[in-house]
């Protein structure tokens, strides 16, 4: 992998070093070769390099080709089908049909393109507010920038929770472990260092002093220099090879399954119609044109537009409710969610942590405990969390005058503690702060005032009681311990965290959130069960759950889960709602188990230890204040860490799904009914039931009537439970409602043939002009009846209630359906009638049509209600 290729500025001389070659150089040689230094680049150097190498993005979003973005929509199989039909019509000289089909294409593609572009622009502005940043050195000063502004030679500062923003060569590292799972699929952490290594015979990923874009830091700290950015990174090369293949959700697969179901259905139907018309009528060219028109009529060509506009509108609406959707299809998954797994901090509590107590092991206030905790938080360079910030905000000790830092042992989620080593009062003092149980495991003495006593097992239980008492009162408690070393010892590791002296506890209070109880109740009403997954101890968790009204019969700890067999583990996870003392791996295992049980699972997390769980969940949810790796792993980002905000998002997801299903039900049942009507008409009638141009115009007008669906209201009772994609229910609905549509087509056939005398077409002595009029009269009658009935029946299908009485459509849907129904009624009397072969209908036709509409609406409502009663999952 070469260093970089130039984009511009021939006067600029780029540093010449490849990523692999940089691994074999020592730090000073490497910095010299890449024209950088330990203080970082200057702003002027960085700007020149940015102009030369371009933005640090795998694919340059700024140079997105709008024409290609528009044309890619023609890859949809439904759109391809219409394009082919339009081209054939044009080739065969049927300009009228070609114009109508191109009109359908325009309606579907343009509307989806405009709405999605508008949505994407708005959402991208919001996503920019929650973009990840990286910490770099420029001019010797630390500053945060967005990763896109990184250039080769930039010096990046890395700590636990950081995302590797480009391909780097490390120049210093301390207990530095990264996850390369995004690149290799290997979940085990990889230790990295800054030592030169031989690259011969090794892949870049095997070189331990190189870090790659897309990886994330699990623990430790390091400094790295950017070698490769943008599309030249390892991650960028993978992206190019994969062609940015889209990972399909269950919703994407469902839409695809329905699309191909309709296409297969259409192909069979068109073949049958083509041969039936050709054999019975004799004109194979006319049979082909009629078959193509039928193909258009049976194609749900508005589906891409309906889906896109619904999802885009949902994303815009959710953004106004402080929910940012990073991937549109995740909106439906949010609405389908059965279980929400969440940490308690910031969701059940206010995320406003205050240091309340600093006490020795006898629960007496201790300045030593505060001072040692302060020095630990002050000197640590890893992930500085809210607890560290609370310690530093509690006091303002001038520690730099009395001590200096020697070394550091960074935090990780296995040890659950971290240490700093300082030169203090003539010794090198290791100060360790972390989870109480983990600190107890490495202590063999404890201190009260200036006296130090052995920490025998019998005393441990007594000392833990103070910790448990604080936890039971809702405090988050950390233990502080220390050990003196000789000043001769300069380098320290995790193995030195032993034989420590327990100094005392620091206790933090995070008040319960007032809105949590209301939010949990709202989620339960919406059919979403809430499960609390936390790394905190069970006593604190129980107190917080009690304060917010969450009933807890039993809290399951990580230790208990670890001892369970798979069957018992699954039963426990499904039965219980609160889990404490969990490791990141256990959170992921719980989510996996819930998903394997057929549930749609959301996970709300914001820490670096939540990244794997966020990726595993069907819906990964984070917040704008989360760690970089959490925000990158999430599908949805909340601008406010609140369950109430999330409840709004869930309801919006169900509205989106509900409106998409309305169109799919309409298309499926209408097409299935049209099959029966068309086949019967071809067999029974002495002429074609409609001209090809009439079928096309009928379909174009019907498509336009459905444009209001994405803006329709959704019934409150539909929003009360999770909504999931189920193709089998759509097939059942099609089998139930399709014949109802066909039944009233046949009553119209009978009406036109016998009441309006169209049967005289075959009578001896009927003139050619009379035959032409009778044929056109029949065509007009069915054209008007079929268009008005299938346009207005959406008001029946859109709700399980009585339409126009118990449930009203939105003004937009009323406007589009009512407008098209009016056009259908006026068209036979307009100047355009002759263009498409229509004639004025007798006035006596309209009472019959009103009777047909009333009977159709009544029967369709009864059949729909019966279907929903028998299939409550779809109600």
């Amino acid at each position: 992998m070469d260093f970089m290729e130039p984009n511009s500025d021939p006067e600029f001389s780029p540093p010449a070093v490849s990523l692999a070659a940089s691994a074999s150089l020592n730090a000073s040689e490497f910095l010299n070769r890449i024209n950088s230094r330990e203080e970082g680049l200057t702003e002027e150097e960085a700007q020149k390099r940015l102009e030369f190498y371009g933005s640090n993005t795998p694919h340059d979003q700024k140079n997105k080709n709008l024409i290609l973005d528009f044309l890619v929509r023609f890859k949809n199989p439904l759109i391809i089908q219409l394009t082919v039909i339009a081209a054939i019509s044009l080739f065969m000289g049927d300009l009228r049909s070609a114009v109508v089909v191109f009109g359908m294409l325009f309606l579907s593609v343009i509307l989806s393109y405009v709405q999605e572009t508008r949505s994407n622009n708005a959402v991208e502005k919001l996503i920019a507010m929650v973009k990840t940043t990286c910490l770099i050195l420029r001019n010797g000063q630390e500053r945060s920038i967005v990763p896109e502004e990184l250039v080769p030679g930039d010096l990046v500062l890395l700590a636990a929770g950081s995302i590797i923003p480009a391909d780097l060569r490390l120049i210093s590292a301390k207990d530095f472990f990264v996850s390369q799972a995004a690149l290799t699929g290997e979940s085990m952490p990889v230790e990295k260092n800054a030592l030169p290594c031989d690259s011969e015979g090794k892949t870049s990923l095997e070189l331990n002093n190189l870090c790659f874009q897309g990886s994330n830091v699990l623990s430790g700290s390091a400094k790295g220099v950017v070698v490769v950015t943008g599309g030249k990174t390892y991650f960028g090369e993978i992206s190019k090879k994969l062609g940015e293949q889209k990972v399909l959700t269950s919703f994407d697969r469902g839409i695809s399954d329905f699309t191909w179901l309709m296409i297969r259905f259409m192909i069979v139907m068109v073949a049958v119609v083509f041969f039936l018309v050709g054999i019975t009528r004799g004109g194979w060219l006319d049979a082909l044109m009629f078959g193509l028109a039928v193909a258009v009529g049976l194609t749900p060509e508005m589906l891409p537009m309906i889906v896109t506009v619904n999802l885009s509108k949902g994303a815009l609406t959710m953004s106004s409710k402080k929910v940012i959707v990073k991937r549109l299809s995740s909106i439906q998954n949010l609405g389908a969610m059965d279980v929400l797994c969440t940490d308690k901090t910031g969701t059940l509590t206010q995320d406003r942590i205050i240091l309340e107590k600093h006490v020795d092991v006898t629960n007496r206030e201790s300045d030593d405990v505060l001072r040692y905790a302060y020095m630990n938080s002050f000197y640590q360079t890893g992930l500085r969390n809210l607890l560290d910030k609370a310690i530093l905000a509690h006091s303002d000790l001038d520690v730099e005058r009395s001590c200096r830092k020697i070394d550091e042992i960074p935090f990780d989620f296995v040890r659950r503690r971290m240490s700093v080593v300082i030169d203090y009062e003539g010794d090198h003092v290791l100060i360790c702060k972390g989870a109480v149980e983990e600190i107890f495991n490495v202590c063999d003495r404890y201190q009260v005032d200036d006296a130090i006593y052995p920490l025998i097992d019998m005393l441990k239980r007594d000392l833990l009681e103070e910790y448990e008492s604080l936890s039971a009162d809702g405090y988050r408690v950390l233990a502080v311990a220390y050990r003196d070393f000789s000043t001769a010892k300069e380098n320290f590791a995790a193995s030195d965290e032993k034989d420590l002296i327990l100094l005392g506890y620091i206790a933090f209070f995070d008040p319960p959130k007032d809105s949590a109880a209301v939010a949990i109740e709202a989620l339960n009403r919406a059919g979403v069960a809430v499960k609390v997954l936390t790394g905190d101890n069970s006593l604190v968790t129980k107190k917080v759950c009690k304060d917010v009204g969450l009933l807890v019969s039993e809290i399951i700890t990580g230790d208990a889960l670890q001892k369970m067999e798979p069957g018992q583990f699954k039963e426990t996870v499904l039965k219980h709602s609160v889990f404490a003392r969990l490791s990141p791996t256990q959170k992921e295992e719980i989510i996996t188990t819930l998903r394997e049980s057929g549930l749609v699972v959301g996970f709300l997390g914001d820490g670096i230890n939540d990244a794997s769980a966020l990726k595993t969940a069907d819906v990964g949810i984070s917040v704008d204040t989360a760690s970089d790796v959490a925000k990158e792993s999430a599908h949805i980002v909340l601008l406010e860490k609140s369950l109430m905000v999330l409840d709004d998002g869930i309801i919006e997801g169900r509205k989106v799904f509900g409106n998409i299903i309305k169109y799919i039900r309409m298309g499926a049942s209408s097409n299935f009914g049209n099959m029966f009507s068309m086949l019967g008409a071809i067999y029974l009638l002495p002429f074609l039931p409609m001209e090809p141009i009439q079928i096309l115009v009928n379909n174009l007008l019907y498509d336009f009537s459905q444009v209001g669906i994405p803006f329709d209201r959704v019934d409150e009772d539909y929003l009360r439970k999770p909504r999931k994609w189920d193709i089998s229910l759509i097939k059942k609905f099609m089998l139930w409602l399709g014949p109802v549509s066909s039944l009233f087509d046949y009553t119209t056939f009978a009406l036109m043939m016998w009441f309006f005398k169209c049967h005289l077409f075959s009578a001896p002595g009927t003139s050619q002009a009379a035959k032409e009029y009778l044929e056109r009269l029949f065509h007009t009658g069915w054209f008007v009846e079929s268009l008005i009935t299938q346009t207005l029946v959406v008001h029946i299908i859109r709700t399980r209630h009585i339409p126009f009485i118990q449930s009203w459509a939105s003004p937009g849907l009323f406007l589009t359906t009512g407008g098209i129904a009016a056009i259908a009624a006026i068209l036979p009397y307009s100047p355009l009638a002759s263009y498409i072969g229509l004639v004025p209908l007798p006035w006596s036709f309209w009472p019959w049509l009103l009777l047909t509409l009333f009977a159709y609406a009544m029967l369709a409502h009864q059949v729909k209600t019966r279907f929903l009663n028998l299939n409550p999952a779809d109600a």
Side-chain angles (χ1 to χ4, degrees):
M1 191 180 298
D2 293 332
F3 174 54
M4 294 292 290
E5 291 179 5
N7 290 336
S8 59
D9 194 356
E11 296 181 4
F12 177 70
S13 178
V17 59
S18 69
L19 187 63
S22 70
S24 60
L25 304 174
N26 63 41
S28 59
E29 289 175 323
F30 165 66
L31 286 170
N32 185 53
R33 289 279 295 275
I34 204 168
N35 296 340
S36 187
R37 62 196 71 81
E38 290 193 7
E39 297 78 29
L41 302 173
T42 65
E43 290 295 341
E44 184 181 357
E45 288 172 328
Q47 184 58 39
K48 282 187 177 180
R49 296 190 186 199
L50 184 62
E51 293 171 2
F52 187 79
Y53 296 116
S55 175
N56 178 33
T57 52
H59 300 281
D60 197 347
Q61 303 296 322
K62 295 177 183 176
N63 295 328
K64 193 183 289 183
N65 191 312
L66 296 179
I67 296 175
L68 289 178
D69 189 40
F70 176 76
L71 291 177
V72 77
R73 294 165 198 282
F74 285 85
K75 290 170 63 178
N76 185 284
L78 297 175
I79 302 301
I80 291 173
Q81 175 189 312
L82 282 183
T83 305
V84 171
I85 291 172
I88 292 173
S89 300
L90 198 61
F91 177 76
M92 297 181 67
D94 190 350
L95 183 61
R96 293 184 307 170
S97 297
V99 168
V100 174
V101 177
F102 277 122
M104 295 177 190
L105 282 169
F106 178 85
L107 190 63
S108 179
V109 173
I110 291 293
L111 280 177
S112 64
Y113 174 75
V114 170
Q115 180 67 17
E116 187 171 1
T117 301
R118 176 171 167 258
S119 170
N120 287 342
N121 289 340
V123 172
E124 280 175 12
K125 289 178 182 176
L126 290 169
I127 290 177
M129 296 166 55
V130 297
K131 268 192 174 181
T132 58
T133 58
C134 53
L135 190 62
I136 65 167
L137 277 180
R138 289 233 178 119
N139 296 320
Q141 301 293 317
E142 290 186 11
R143 56 170 295 200
S144 291
I145 64 169
V146 293
E148 289 81 359
E149 296 177 3
L150 277 178
V151 295
D154 263 329
L155 197 148
V156 183
L157 306 179
L158 301 167
S162 300
I163 290 179
I164 308 296
D167 288 357
L168 313 173
R169 162 65 159 92
L170 298 180
I171 60 172
S172 68
K174 175 68 176 177
D175 299 318
F176 193 63
F177 288 83
V178 301
S179 169
Q180 297 183 160
L183 304 176
T184 65
E186 176 56 57
S187 60
M188 293 299 293
V190 179
E191 185 173 10
K192 300 286 186 175
N193 58 57
L195 300 174
C197 59
D198 185 6
S199 61
E200 188 174 348
K202 296 180 181 178
T203 66
S204 296
L205 289 172
E206 294 175 308
L207 301 175
N208 287 335
N209 56 10
L210 302 182
C211 290
F212 300 89
Q213 185 181 50
S215 307
N216 60 278
V217 182
L218 298 177
S219 65
S221 57
K223 291 181 182 178
V225 177
V226 175
V227 182
V228 182
T229 61
K232 292 290 183 178
T233 62
Y234 191 89
F235 180 78
E237 296 286 356
I238 292 176
S239 296
K240 289 177 189 175
K241 291 175 184 176
L242 293 178
E244 292 189 328
Q245 292 179 358
K246 183 181 177 182
V247 179
L248 297 180
T249 66
S250 60
F251 177 71
D252 296 324
R253 289 191 294 270
I255 292 292
S256 178
D257 289 346
F258 174 74
T259 298
W260 286 106
L261 172 69
M262 290 291 100
I263 289 175
R264 288 193 295 270
F265 174 69
M266 179 272 300
I267 290 172
V268 172
M269 182 64 186
V270 168
V272 171
V273 166
F274 173 70
F275 285 108
L276 197 58
V277 171
I279 292 169
T280 57
R281 305 293 192 276
W284 289 100
L285 187 60
D286 289 340
L288 176 61
M289 295 308 298
F290 187 76
L292 292 176
V294 169
V296 174
L298 295 178
T299 301
E301 62 275 351
M302 295 297 284
L303 182 60
M305 186 280 292
I306 293 289
V307 171
T308 300
V309 173
N310 263 293
L311 292 175
S312 300
K313 174 182 171 291
L316 283 171
T317 303
M318 290 169 73
S319 69
S320 69
K321 296 180 179 180
K322 302 182 180 180
V323 180
I324 297 177
V325 180
K326 293 174 62 180
R327 181 180 174 188
L328 286 179
S329 59
S330 61
I331 294 175
Q332 190 275 327
N333 281 343
L334 188 61
M337 189 167 65
D338 299 294
V339 180
L340 172 66
C341 297
T342 177
D343 192 5
K344 65 176 183 60
T345 304
T347 51
L348 304 184
T349 65
Q350 296 180 17
D351 209 8
R352 186 168 52 86
I353 294 175
I354 302 166
L355 176 59
E356 289 269 331
K357 297 189 176 187
H358 42 93
V359 297
D360 64 17
V361 294
T362 64
N363 203 19
R364 294 183 303 166
E365 186 172 303
S366 170
D367 290 337
D368 285 340
V369 172
L370 175 61
R371 184 166 58 256
Y372 275 60
Y374 188 96
M375 289 190 289
N376 177 284
S377 295
F378 183 85
Y379 281 114
Q380 71 112 343
T381 58
L383 181 67
R384 186 165 286 174
N385 58 31
L386 291 174
L387 301 181
D388 289 305
K389 292 176 182 177
I391 293 169
L392 297 175
H394 184 80
S395 185
D396 186 18
L397 303 179
D398 188 7
V399 296
E400 289 183 290
R401 295 181 62 182
S402 58
C403 55
R404 64 181 179 87
K405 182 178 176 181
I406 301 298
D407 205 352
E408 179 177 357
I409 308 168
F411 177 87
D412 66 57
F413 290 97
V414 177
R415 291 164 36 251
R416 296 202 300 165
R417 58 180 182 260
M418 67 83 50
S419 299
V420 297
V421 183
I422 58 174
D423 188 341
Y424 182 58
E425 296 183 346
D427 291 309
H428 283 180
V429 183
L430 184 150
I431 304 173
C432 187
K433 175 179 94 258
V436 174
E437 294 91 337
E438 304 303 332
I439 297 292
F440 263 67
N441 289 338
V442 292
C443 288
D444 63 357
R445 290 161 291 169
Y446 69 97
Q447 181 173 325
V448 177
D449 296 328
D450 293 329
I452 297 174
Y453 305 95
L455 184 58
I456 59 177
D457 291 339
M458 187 170 63
L459 284 174
K460 277 187 178 181
R461 181 66 258 168
D462 294 334
L463 295 178
L464 279 170
E465 285 181 1
E466 297 300 335
Y467 152 65
E468 291 172 353
S469 175
L470 289 168
S471 296
D473 288 335
Y475 290 104
R476 295 181 66 180
V477 184
L478 298 180
V480 179
Y482 74 97
R483 179 184 172 186
D484 294 332
F485 286 88
S486 165
T487 54
K489 184 174 176 63
E490 293 282 344
N491 296 312
F492 292 80
S495 57
D496 293 309
E497 293 176 331
K498 61 181 180 180
D499 303 331
L500 306 187
I501 300 169
L502 178 63
L503 191 59
Y505 309 116
I506 45 176
F508 306 85
F509 189 62
D510 188 5
K513 188 173 284 185
D514 296 334
S515 62
V518 178
I520 291 170
E521 185 179 347
L523 288 168
N524 288 335
R525 282 199 307 270
V528 179
V530 177
K531 292 184 183 288
V532 177
L533 313 184
T534 180
D536 270 355
N537 69 70
S538 55
L539 293 171
V540 175
T541 304
K542 185 175 183 178
K543 176 69 166 59
V544 171
C545 290
K546 180 182 176 183
D547 288 344
V548 299
L550 192 63
L551 297 177
V552 182
S553 57
E554 182 182 359
I555 294 179
I556 308 300
T557 65
D559 290 339
L561 288 175
Q562 199 167 7
K563 298 170 184 175
M564 293 180 184
E565 296 295 326
Q568 185 185 6
F569 184 94
K570 179 179 179 179
E571 182 182 348
T572 302
V573 165
L574 291 173
K575 180 180 178 182
H576 293 87
S577 299
V578 182
F579 301 83
R581 304 297 296 170
L582 296 179
S583 68
T585 302
Q586 287 174 324
K587 290 183 181 181
E588 185 180 358
E589 288 171 350
I590 289 173
I591 291 168
T592 300
T593 300
L594 291 169
R595 292 187 67 200
E596 289 174 350
S597 301
L599 299 171
V600 178
V601 184
F603 179 73
L604 174 57
D606 61 358
I608 60 173
N609 57 328
D610 293 326
S612 59
L614 285 165
K615 289 179 179 178
T616 302
D618 294 289
V619 189
I621 308 159
S622 193
V623 293
D624 62 332
T625 55
S627 63
D628 288 349
V629 68
K631 285 189 287 189
E632 287 295 312
S633 301
H635 309 110
I636 288 173
V637 178
L638 308 181
L639 295 181
E640 180 182 320
K641 194 173 183 182
S642 166
L643 293 181
M644 286 303 295
V645 170
L646 191 56
D647 181 60
D648 290 339
I650 289 170
I651 297 303
E652 192 60 38
R654 292 176 187 175
K655 287 180 181 178
V656 167
F657 182 72
N659 282 333
I660 291 173
I661 286 296
K662 288 174 190 176
Y663 177 81
I664 288 174
R665 284 176 176 172
M666 283 285 299
S669 58
S670 175
N671 288 355
F672 191 65
N674 286 341
M675 178 187 73
F676 287 114
S677 303
M678 195 64 70
L679 290 175
I682 292 170
Y683 180 75
L684 296 171
L685 299 177
F687 44 75
L688 292 177
M690 269 194 217
E691 293 293 332
I693 185 64
Q694 293 165 348
I695 295 174
L696 294 173
V697 172
N698 185 297
N699 202 54
L700 175 62
L701 292 172
Y702 168 71
D703 284 345
F704 190 82
S705 75
Q706 305 305 296
V707 168
I709 286 180
F711 307 94
D712 189 25
R713 300 187 181 102
V714 180
D715 293 337
E716 288 295 325
D717 52 356
Y718 185 86
L719 304 175
R720 288 176 188 160
K721 63 181 180 180
R723 296 292 169 180
K724 301 176 186 177
W725 181 266
D726 190 340
I727 190 71
S728 65
L729 285 175
I730 292 170
K731 290 178 181 176
K732 287 181 184 178
F733 190 84
M734 178 176 73
L735 294 173
W736 278 64
L737 266 290
V740 175
S741 168
S742 188
L743 173 64
F744 288 93
D745 284 338
Y746 279 106
T747 62
T748 302
F749 293 167
L751 177 73
M752 299 307 298
M753 290 299 290
W754 301 105
F755 187 84
F756 292 105
K757 309 302 183 183
C758 291
H759 71 283
L760 295 177
F761 179 91
S762 303
T766 304
S767 68
Q768 186 61 37
K771 284 186 176 182
E772 184 176 321
Y773 171 75
L774 292 172
E775 184 179 1
R776 288 193 170 190
L777 181 64
F778 183 94
H779 291 164
T780 305
W782 191 33
F783 177 93
V784 172
E785 180 271 339
S786 66
L787 180 55
I788 291 179
T789 53
Q790 73 175 344
T791 295
L792 296 183
V793 79
V794 69
H795 294 278
I796 310 294
I797 291 177
R798 63 170 293 278
T799 175
R800 70 165 294 139
H801 302 292
I802 301 172
F804 311 118
I805 297 175
Q806 296 175 326
S807 179
W808 288 81
S810 66
L813 188 57
F814 262 115
L815 182 64
T816 55
T817 55
I820 294 301
I823 289 172
I826 295 169
L827 200 54
Y829 308 98
S830 73
L832 294 174
S834 59
Y835 182 77
I836 57 176
L838 301 180
V839 296
L841 288 164
W843 293 110
S844 57
F845 172 83
W846 297 105
W848 284 106
L849 179 63
L850 290 175
L851 182 62
T852 298
L853 278 172
F854 179 76
Y856 182 25
M858 294 294 291
L859 183 58
H861 177 69
Q862 293 299 321
V863 172
K864 171 204 68 180
T865 303
R866 177 69 174 159
F867 172 82
L868 294 177
N869 288 338
L870 293 175
N871 299 275
D874 201 34

